[in-house]
Amino acid sequence: GLHNLAVGLRASATHAGGPNPATSFTQQAAISGRIGATGPDLSLDAGFSQADSDKGPVGARNFAARLWHTFDWLGVSAAYTHNQTDGAPDDRRFVVNTTLPVWQKRFEKGASASLAPTASYVWSPAGNDFRIGAALSGDTGHALGERFRLNGQFTSLTRADPTGQGADIFANAGASWRIGNLMALQAVYSTDFAERSDVSIALRGSV
């Protein structure tokens, strides 16, 4: 069965820069849980967004399914995303990512830091892409109190083929405030340091 079941609603604001800047507002619903007592973990997300740009409002719909599991020496995840935007072709992607923690440091009250080489394979109708790099992660655990928690990750990836131009850099930071025993208020910020930044706020409940 599905263990640790959680459902959530999320509202987010996204700003995309570049030659055609746009701001969008998104409503998202999500469900997640663990398959069996020991995993893997599964999440499903679906949502709708409305973007305001210099070309007028544009609607979009999205769906994502993600499966992941962490072994003693390896982390593996697989994700499928399908995005539809008014007036544009569908965007479909399948991503497999592996991480191999080579350094981990645990502190008091569950705080931790880690450095891990990572490899990603991306399939889309436009072709395949393979990237390698490294990820630096941190988590405060309960060092800031039993209810408040911070975490973040900084990742650098480069294409494995000789034509790859430089490295792509990503970062995300999250904060969670537990409300009672069954609910939590979560905020997440992510950026690619180029054209896309995302801020989302979610109220999640567990049953």
Side-chain angles (χ1 to χ4, degrees), residues 39-189:
D41 293 287
L42 170 71
S43 69
L44 302 172
D45 294 82
F48 172 80
S49 67
Q50 183 76 32
D52 295 320
S53 67
D54 55 359
K55 297 180 180 180
V58 177
R61 294 147 295 281
N62 64 82
F63 171 79
R66 183 169 180 254
L67 190 71
W68 71 97
H69 190 67
T70 301
F71 302 92
D72 292 336
W73 55 277
L74 182 70
V76 180
S77 67
Y80 172 77
T81 60
H82 187 181
N83 299 314
Q84 298 175 306
T85 303
D86 293 345
D90 288 7
D91 179 19
R92 293 180 290 128
R93 292 175 182 265
F94 177 71
V95 180
V96 177
N97 187 72
T98 60
T99 57
L100 179 65
V102 296
W103 177 81
Q104 289 182 308
K105 177 67 174 179
R106 298 195 178 277
F107 305 94
E108 296 181 355
K109 298 184 178 180
S112 64
S114 67
L115 177 65
T118 182
S120 298
Y121 168 78
V122 181
W123 172 91
S124 72
N128 303 316
D129 191 12
F130 182 71
R131 301 184 182 190
I132 55 177
L136 178 64
S137 304
D139 194 308
T140 63
H142 298 298
L144 301 178
E146 292 295 323
R147 295 184 179 274
F148 186 63
R149 189 168 190 162
L150 296 174
N151 62 75
Q153 184 177 73
F154 179 87
T155 304
S156 177
L157 294 172
T158 186
R159 288 179 173 83
D161 63 88
T163 61
Q165 300 295 319
D168 294 322
I169 300 174
F170 309 91
N172 63 72
S176 177
W177 178 267
R178 186 163 57 85
I179 304 171
N181 295 324
L182 299 177
M183 299 190 69
L185 181 64
Q186 299 176 339
V188 177
Y189 171 76

